[in-house]
Amino acid sequence: MRRSLAASSMSSFQDTVGHLRTSFDSGKTRPRKYRLAQLQALMRLMEENNDAVIEALAKDLHRPKFEAVAGEITLLNNEIKFAINNLKTWMKDEPVEKNLATSQDTAFIRKDPYGVVLIIGPWNYPLSLILIPLVGAIAAGNCGILKPSEISTNMEKLVSDLVPRYLDKDCYAVVCGGPKETTQLLENKFDYIFFTGSPNVGKIIMTAAAKQLTPVTLELGGKNPCVIDNGCDPKIAANRVIFHHFFNAGQTCTSPDYVLCTKEMREKLVPAMKETVEKFYGKDPKKSPDFARIINDRHFNRVKALMGSGKVVIGGDCDEKERYIAPTVVVEVKESDPVMQEEIFGPILPIMDVKGVDEAVAFINRHERPLALYAFSPDSKVVDGIIERTSSGGVCGNDGMMHMTLTSLPFGGIGHSGMGKYHGKFTFDTFSHERAVLLRSFATEELNSILYPPYTEEHLSILVSSLESSAAQPATCPESRAKP
């Protein structure tokens, strides 16, 4: 039975979830050999369909091949390879410290799969942001349903076609459709839900999960600030901010959403940005093969309306038929302007004047905590100070979204920008329940006698001492042994 469903009937989803749960309960996904086989199949899916992925992204987003390979394919392939190479280590039981009462016993943490998980993906990176979570779900031994975004129609079709061809159809399924189908899916009992999308939809997902007491990871977004200190080289700052902001036409949840700098810096930065835009995309970016398009008409009209804020100093051209919005920079924006009230998710970059780093930090802290924060300064103390005095999901100093390319760093938001983390082993951990295990021996029954009634003060004193953990003892620092 092909389990890629576009059905809207509730029974179809119940049947699909029930079938996957039966497969999970059989223990099929638990052996390491099985998990490796599915990860290797996912690797083959990517290797054998590279061109189809690039074509689908070009159709949905006018995504250049460079951005498709760098922003989706390479990151996904790295995650799959990393999981394959490290799965044996990740799956090992983790020994823990014991107290005197359990010194003859075995205690460890076992990484158990949750069961049947639901992964809901977005439209802006419609392949990697649904399959990277799947890598961790497979590695952790779960069954799962994928719900790709219906907005990126070509990639939705591709995912729904390829996944059943390469992965075990008894354990992994794809459900297609829009909000109606997603709502019906959420009425089913899942053991974990992983959602990537907007904060507003994230609230809906979390509300539905709460009814079933289902744990969730919410990878959301927000307005990511970019602080540029006066000491920066404006050309270098312009190159890096322009590249990362206009990558995928600004439709990236970690995109530098707005710039905070002094008026003095802004007067140097804008000319440098003009030069950079022309260098990257030519005199007419509309003709550039390296600049993407807005995903659909609704988002085009939303982003275009934000151009009414401030003063346009670069770009500003639009073509509704092509859903093209030029790389645009606006200045003299106010905190109350519409462009500063919502995540832009498009190729408009506002620059807001501040008196200095202190005012920039104060501005950031007045708003919801962002998914990413970017701090530019040749002085490492300035960058460290911004990090120390703010809160965000992640940080990159003196560049844009490069922190998210490391499988060794957790990726995720905080507060309004999300909860939970993934990438690399963090994805495996996200889809694993850390199960506490203590295995005792019948041979210790004589020692157990102090636990049983009739209670005595002597037994209580022995018990209290035996239960004290070595980790509860104060650490001895080298400084404490130093002579005064």
Side-chain angles (χ1 to χ4, degrees), residues 118-156:
L118 172 62
I119 301 172
I120 304 174
W123 54 261
N124 60 325
Y125 289 83
L127 181 75
S128 61
L129 294 188
I130 198 165
L131 292 191
I132 289 177
L134 179 63
V135 171
I138 291 172
N142 298 279
C143 291
I145 289 181
L146 301 181
K147 170 58 185 70
S149 173
E150 76 285 0
I151 295 175
S152 46
T153 55
N154 291 282
M155 186 56 71
E156 178 193 41

Side-chain angles (χ1 to χ4, degrees), residues 388-442:
E388 183 70 24
R389 296 156 62 194
T390 57
S391 177
S392 64
V395 177
C396 187
N398 296 324
D399 210 341
M401 304 178 288
M402 294 303 294
H403 64 291
M404 62 183 292
T405 66
L406 293 176
T407 55
S408 54
L409 284 177
F411 179 83
I414 179 173
H416 195 72
S417 58
M419 61 179 66
K421 56 187 180 294
Y422 73 123
H423 285 191
K425 184 177 182 293
F426 301 102
T427 321
F428 174 86
D429 291 341
T430 285
F431 286 104
S432 298
H433 165 60
E434 293 193 339
R435 192 178 188 185
V437 180
L438 176 65
L439 304 178
R440 307 209 72 194
S441 168
F442 289 124

Side-chain angles (χ1 to χ4, degrees), residues 343-397:
E343 184 177 9
I344 296 168
F345 233 63
I348 301 174
L349 178 64
I351 301 178
M352 197 172 95
D353 296 345
V354 291
K355 293 178 181 177
V357 170
D358 289 344
E359 187 174 326
V361 167
F363 180 89
I364 293 167
N365 289 336
R366 282 200 303 273
H367 297 82
E368 297 285 0
R369 291 180 284 183
L371 181 59
L373 184 150
Y374 305 104
F376 284 70
S377 178
D379 187 343
S380 61
K381 291 181 179 179
V382 172
V383 175
D384 290 343
I386 293 171
I387 296 172
E388 183 70 24
R389 296 156 62 194
T390 57
S391 177
S392 64
V395 177
C396 187

Side-chain angles (χ1 to χ4, degrees), residues 17 21 113-122 129-130 132-134 136-137 142-148 181-198 201-220 418-422 426-427 429-433:
V17 175
R21 191 166 299 284
Y114 274 101
V116 179
V117 305
L118 172 62
I119 301 172
I120 304 174
L129 294 188
I130 198 165
I132 289 177
L134 179 63
N142 298 279
C143 291
I145 289 181
L146 301 181
K147 170 58 185 70
E181 287 74 19
T182 304
T183 300
Q184 292 173 339
L185 261 179
L186 290 169
E187 292 172 2
N188 290 275
K189 168 63 179 174
F190 290 96
D191 300 298
Y192 203 97
I193 297 175
F194 191 107
F195 169 77
T196 303
S198 71
V201 179
K203 293 175 184 178
I204 296 172
I205 301 296
M206 193 170 183
T207 299
K211 294 177 181 178
Q212 304 276 10
L213 293 179
T214 301
V216 298
T217 287
L218 301 177
E219 294 296 339
L220 309 178
M419 61 179 66
K421 56 187 180 294
Y422 73 123
F426 301 102
T427 321
D429 291 341
T430 285
F431 286 104
S432 298
H433 165 60

Side-chain angles (χ1 to χ4, degrees), residues 44 47 70 94 96 104 108 129 148 169 181 199 221 255 298 301 337 339 361 400 410 425 431 464:
R44 288 197 303 276
E47 291 170 349
E94 183 180 331
V96 297
Q104 303 303 308
F108 56 88
L129 294 188
K169 291 186 285 292
E181 287 74 19
S255 168
R298 180 172 68 86
N301 291 324
D337 285 341
V339 77
V361 167
K425 184 177 182 293
F431 286 104
V464 169

